[in-house]
Amino acid sequence: MWMPQTSLKDICRIVNGLLKTALGPPTGSTTTLSPVQDITFRHESVKCLVSIINSMGSWMDRQLSLGGSYLPKTNESDTSAEKTESLTPNGEEGAAFDNEVHPEGNPEVSDAATLEQRRAYKLELQKGVALFNRKPNKGIEFLISTKKVGSSPEDVASFLRNNTAGLNETMIGDYLGEREEFPLKVMHAYVDSFNFKGMDFGEAIRFFLRGFRLPGEAQKIDRIMEKFAERYCKCSPNSFTSADTAYVLAYSVILLNTDAHNNTVKDKMTKADFIRNNRGIDDGKDLPEEYLGVLYDQIVKNEIKMSADSSVPQSKEENSFNKLLGLDGILNLVTGKQTEEKALGANGLLIKHIQEQFKAKSGKSESVYHAVTDVAILRFMVEVCWGPMLAAFSVTLDQSDDRLATSQCLQGFRHAVHVTALMGMQTQRDAFVTSVAKFTYLHNAADMRQKNVDAVKAIISIAIEDGNYLQEAWEHILTCLSRIEHLQLLGEGAPTDASFLTRSNVESEEKTPKSTGLSSLKKKGTIQNPAVMAVVRGGSYDSTSVGVNTSGLVTPEQINNFISNLNLLDQIGNFELNHVFAHSQRLNSEAIVAFVKALSKVSMAELQSPTDPRVFSLTKIVEIAHYNMNRIRLVWSRIWNVLSDFFVSVGLSENLSVAIFVMDSLRQLAMKFLEREELANYNFQNEFLRPFVIVMQKSNSTEIRELIVRCISQMVLSRVNHVKSGWKSVFLVFTAAAADERKNIVLLAFETVEKIVREYFPYITETETLTFTDCVRCLLTFTNSRFNSDVSLNAIAFLRFCAVKLAEGGLVYNKRSELDVSSLPTANEDASNGVTFNEKDEHASFWVPLLTGLSKLTSDPRSAIRKGSLEVLFNILKDHGHLFSHSFWTAIFNSVVYAIFSCVSDKRDTYTKNDQSSPVSASPRPEGSTWDSETSAVAADCLIDLFVSFFDTVRLQLPGVVSILTGLIRSPVQGTASTGVAGLVRLAGEVGDKLSEDEWREIFLALKEAATSSVPGFMKVLRTMDDINVPGLSRSYSDIDLSSDHGFTNDDLEDDNLQTASYLVSRMKSHIAMQLLLLQVATDLCKLHLGSFSVGNISILLEIFSLIASHAHQLNSETILHKKLQKVCSVLELTAPPLVHFENDSYKNYLSFLQNALVENPSLSGEMNIETQLVGVCESIFQIYLNCTELHSAEQRPADEPVLHWILPLGTAKKEELATRSDLAVSALQVLNSLEKVSFRRHISRLFPLLVDLVRSEHASGEVQLVLSNIFQSCIGPIVMQQ
């Protein structure tokens, strides 16, 4: 364009002058022009304005086409073909192949081949290469048929990658980007041949792209980049969250490379821009800024060479490459940027420079012309012209009915929209588009004329011609199309959408006429359809729906005008209307996203209309999604971000019919989308199916939730081989269904899950690990079903089935995968270090959710579920435990097995806390009913079976297992405590012969800790009895016969005291029972393995017996407490705590252990001085017996106590106690009688006074006297005789 040195003021004067002429003389002024001349003059002015804006657009289009006319693919292809075809057998170029032919790779060419054979081979190879460089598919077929290349995709990929035969790199890229089955397999093999392990991302993509040029079609690039991202993530699994991140970053790197090394790009992308552009691409999170900064520096400093042998100038090639691929638009999608108010191709410095030139030369009188090539200069002209042009076109179109004049105005609108849209002038563009849309009069159809129909046609033309640049203006255009369809529907007499979108469909059908044809309307001259009447009344352009104001009469004239106007709309057929939507396939990346956004807004407005809801745009959304589903995944994902929010919003609509319609539409799209193959580590399918999940979780409609379950079931079962990342959404839907309040939804979902697990399990485990986690979580949710216990139990059975399938597939920890588990602790580490699963290991992550899920299920309140989950869990571990390594077993025990018994520990800890608080406020935990004795028995048996079965592997877990069993013993529930005793004895019996000294020590220390840990808290609680005053205990204890309550009743004690006393009685009984059970365990272990115990272990056992016996004696020494409890029990009609029995049993077991140790291991007994301890225990027993007879030994009698010369008879209570203790005294006497003579003589000085007191005391059993007589005869008599 040759632009004269004309100021913008001059341009403004010209346009404003034309505007004034077009508008005509002002009202009240006079003119010499005749009316015909005035109209002609106006029309010519409009025509001039149209010519001006048209010339601007034509020059702009020409300049843009010149800037992007270079097509590198065509030029390079032709050049390569000509070069290859010019190779002749006699030429020097042909000799270049001599060193590249490998006869050993082809059986037809051997070392003995003749020169002619070698030459023929080369010629045939050259022919195939030349054919490839023209038509890659044909070339590969020829090379395979002549056996120059193997027929497998791997062979072809190797041939292309090595490229020793002169293949054109552009054609290699084109071939790799093809979508046909064989080229696609070749591309996958080609990419899989690269090993990116240890490479950073920039180095990897540079290494990848050096062997070929990216093709010129965005779809082809998408397929290659998608596979590259998958391969990179496989080689570097810890680099990104998913392959989606690598995929988007690959595009960003290519765009940065073009931006940084294109000389025509003046406004270069900075490092901050690059970092900002890539925010949130790592699954919603940001990549480290340092990482992106290093990547930016690598690309900027060292260009990625797409083609090493390209002879095309750099700037032109890259600019053409960028436009050819549409990467500018894709970058805007990646970064979220918009071309707001920015001149196309403009540079701020260039514009400033041109302005300065004009300003400097504006004072010169001569006409100077400047050649302008940058379209940025056009922006200034448009900025001063657009306002007058808009006014001229609008006023003329509004006031004139002349077809030629209105046609000129609409042409002007079209040219103005074209220029402002391409220049990125959004405000001006929207003003022109809105004006045309208003002039369609579709919002007031009764007043439409031919010029308004022409405006509709102009709107459609604008949509087709300038759709790539309309952005937000699409909303106005699509609103017009929606209104056109509505009017056409009414003209055909078809029922409105509202007739089936209302809640009471039957009533609507009765009230709405089924058909009101156009001919019928003309004949009757009246309309009864409310929707038609609303349209006739009309409304404002900006109203949500036409005819919102339902009040007001409709005149016959309005009706007739409306009918005639419907005839005018016949000029716009369905083809023109649908062409806009079909043409969406040709919109660029940014435009299609803007188109979908606008269409979603229009559809939402249609559906939310209070008087006339419609589904026209909703159906078009489905069509658009079908049309554009084959776009590159990066663009499609942005489209789906918009559609996903739309489907969720409409799917949660209160209008059930609308929600059902949209969910079914989503199902159709999903079925089509699942036909596309998805590579590993991607998340496209999951994003696509996410609306189903959100609506399923949030919808209050039973019908919608059931529909979603049916839709997902149908999709999965029909497309199961294509489901990859979509499994996550599938199981999330079924998980929500499993927790649904409707039984039919639960059963329907479980039926599908059952089929998936039974028949399609391999498809689940071939994708990412979290998919299997979601499956397990889904089954676990079904176990909580309250509708059908069979569903719960079947879900547990399927969890075991999952374990079997996992084991069959080899997805286990084993020796072959030692490298995979190197990060886990070794088996030599202590089990108490809190080892947990390493989620990063693929094999472990398959087992972790399964095992931990079952572990949590063991605390279910339902008995059948608890026992079922326990059995299934331990059966899984027993059946497949041989495949687990030591480290994995350690993790299983810490995270799964011990977690099962945590409820027992929780109850014990709570009970201990209650011990230290007021017993009045103490109450059992609700979990007590969860872990009943039956469940505890099942759990303990399973644990011991597992430990015994894998003892050699898990023996380091012995302390933990013993701790669990002793915890059961300490349980306040008697059945659970007995289970712990039986379990510990059984464990020792099964593996006792294999236990080392240290392992036995762990068992005994655990028993000791269990025996002593609860004593302090128990004694503290017991002290609360001191504050309770029991009447009748004020007299001397010797005067009280406890067999009578002396009139003591409930009225003598307060209710709180009674409650406290009752609790103490119960607490004491439980405590005594636990101590006796520990004694039983220790005694049973001694009977089985006493001979194999070391000195250290026997010492611990002695401490256990001694501590328990001392504790029992201490309790019996609390005389006042004892008597209070007996009185309280008498009043409350409770059995008294067995304190005497506790003391007798503890001493008897202590005595028995010492005697057995003395007899079975004399040498060890001598070393540990067992004999002395045995005699000491006998002394204690005799003293306890004598205290019961109220006869103190000489050593214990106070010095001032008078010597009794006679003994009073014992009371009834004392006699009963003495009878109870007689058996213990007899046992002690028998032990002494069994001592060797020498041993007895050694201790006679300590024993004789006690024996004498026994002779003097009263006895309840003659057996004591008999044994005493034997001792005096056989032991003491010989000693006396020897003296």
Side-chain angles (χ1 to χ4, degrees), residues 70-82:
Y70 176 69
L71 297 177
K73 175 180 174 182
T74 305
N75 294 345
E76 192 166 313
S77 300
D78 295 341
T79 303
S80 302
E82 291 174 4

Side-chain angles (χ1 to χ4, degrees), residues 685-738:
Q685 290 182 357
N686 182 43
E687 292 294 331
F688 195 95
L689 297 177
R690 185 170 293 174
F692 284 115
V693 179
I694 299 175
V695 176
M696 183 71 191
Q697 293 172 342
K698 295 184 177 181
S699 178
N700 295 323
S701 170
T702 303
E703 293 84 354
I704 292 298
R705 298 198 302 273
E706 182 175 351
L707 176 63
I708 291 175
V709 172
R710 293 187 183 278
C711 289
I712 292 293
S713 300
Q714 179 191 2
M715 286 187 294
V716 172
L717 297 179
S718 60
R719 297 282 191 272
V720 66
N721 56 326
H722 286 170
V723 181
K724 296 292 188 297
S725 66
W727 282 117
K728 182 176 183 62
S729 292
V730 168
F731 284 120
L732 285 176
V733 168
F734 289 141
T735 300

Side-chain angles (χ1 to χ4, degrees), residues 537-552:
R537 275 190 294 267
S540 66
Y541 170 79
D542 295 324
S543 60
T544 304
S545 61
V546 177
V548 173
N549 296 323
T550 57
S551 60

Side-chain angles (χ1 to χ4, degrees), residues 779-1045:
L779 288 171
L780 289 171
T781 308
F782 276 112
T783 62
N784 296 320
S785 173
R786 56 190 177 88
F787 296 111
N788 194 327
S789 60
D790 291 339
V791 170
S792 300
L793 295 175
N794 286 336
I796 294 176
F798 278 122
L799 290 171
R800 182 175 185 180
F801 179 80
C802 289
V804 173
K805 289 296 183 181
L806 282 178
E808 289 177 354
L811 299 173
V812 292
Y813 266 77
N814 51 40
K815 294 182 179 179
R816 292 174 295 177
S817 59
E818 282 297 327
L819 292 176
D820 295 334
V821 295
S822 57
S823 59
L824 288 176
T826 60
N828 295 326
E829 296 186 22
D830 191 352
S832 63
N833 60 5
V835 177
T836 55
F837 293 108
N838 182 2
E839 294 282 355
K840 293 184 178 179
D841 185 272
E842 181 181 3
H843 295 161
S845 14
F846 278 109
W847 287 98
V848 168
L850 179 62
L851 299 176
T852 55
L854 283 169
S855 176
K856 293 177 181 178
L857 201 57
T858 58
S859 60
D860 192 278
R862 295 166 295 176
S863 176
I865 302 301
R866 285 200 310 272
K867 289 189 288 186
S869 58
L870 277 170
E871 292 173 356
V872 168
L873 173 60
F874 282 99
N875 283 336
I876 289 173
L877 294 175
K878 284 183 65 177
D879 293 343
H880 312 299
H882 62 283
L883 301 169
F884 300 155
S885 69
H886 287 73
S887 55
F888 192 50
W889 267 116
T890 301
I892 288 175
F893 266 88
N894 281 285
S895 298
V896 177
V897 176
Y898 296 151
I900 294 175
F901 296 91
S902 61
C903 61
V904 178
S905 301
D906 291 343
K907 284 192 295 182
R908 187 180 67 246
D909 295 341
T910 302
Y911 201 72
T912 303
K913 292 176 184 177
N914 288 341
D915 286 346
Q916 299 173 1
S917 60
S918 172
V920 175
S921 61
S923 59
R925 282 184 55 166
E927 287 91 336
S929 59
T930 299
W931 270 86
D932 53 18
S933 57
E934 186 178 2
T935 304
S936 300
V938 173
D941 287 342
C942 291
L943 175 63
I944 295 170
D945 286 341
L946 179 67
F947 187 80
V948 171
S949 300
F950 297 96
F951 177 75
D952 294 334
T953 303
V954 301
R955 67 185 305 160
L956 288 177
Q957 303 302 321
L958 179 66
V961 174
V962 172
S963 176
I964 288 173
L965 295 175
T966 53
L968 292 174
I969 295 174
R970 293 161 59 185
S971 169
V973 181
Q974 185 65 31
T976 302
S978 301
T979 297
V981 172
L984 196 54
V985 172
R986 179 188 165 201
L987 177 66
E990 296 278 0
V991 298
D993 296 337
K994 303 177 183 178
L995 296 178
S996 64
E997 179 181 345
D998 290 339
E999 289 169 336
W1000 275 115
R1001 180 180 177 83
E1002 291 286 352
I1003 295 176
F1004 295 145
L1005 287 176
L1007 289 174
K1008 179 181 176 182
E1009 194 274 338
T1012 58
S1013 62
S1014 61
V1015 172
F1018 170 73
M1019 295 302 296
K1020 185 175 181 180
V1021 172
L1022 210 57
R1023 294 275 68 83
T1024 58
M1025 197 67 184
D1026 296 341
D1027 300 330
I1028 299 177
N1029 183 27
V1030 178
L1033 294 182
S1034 57
R1035 293 173 291 164
S1036 171
Y1037 297 130
S1038 59
D1039 299 334
I1040 299 175
D1041 189 351
L1042 293 179
S1043 60
S1044 172
D1045 59 15

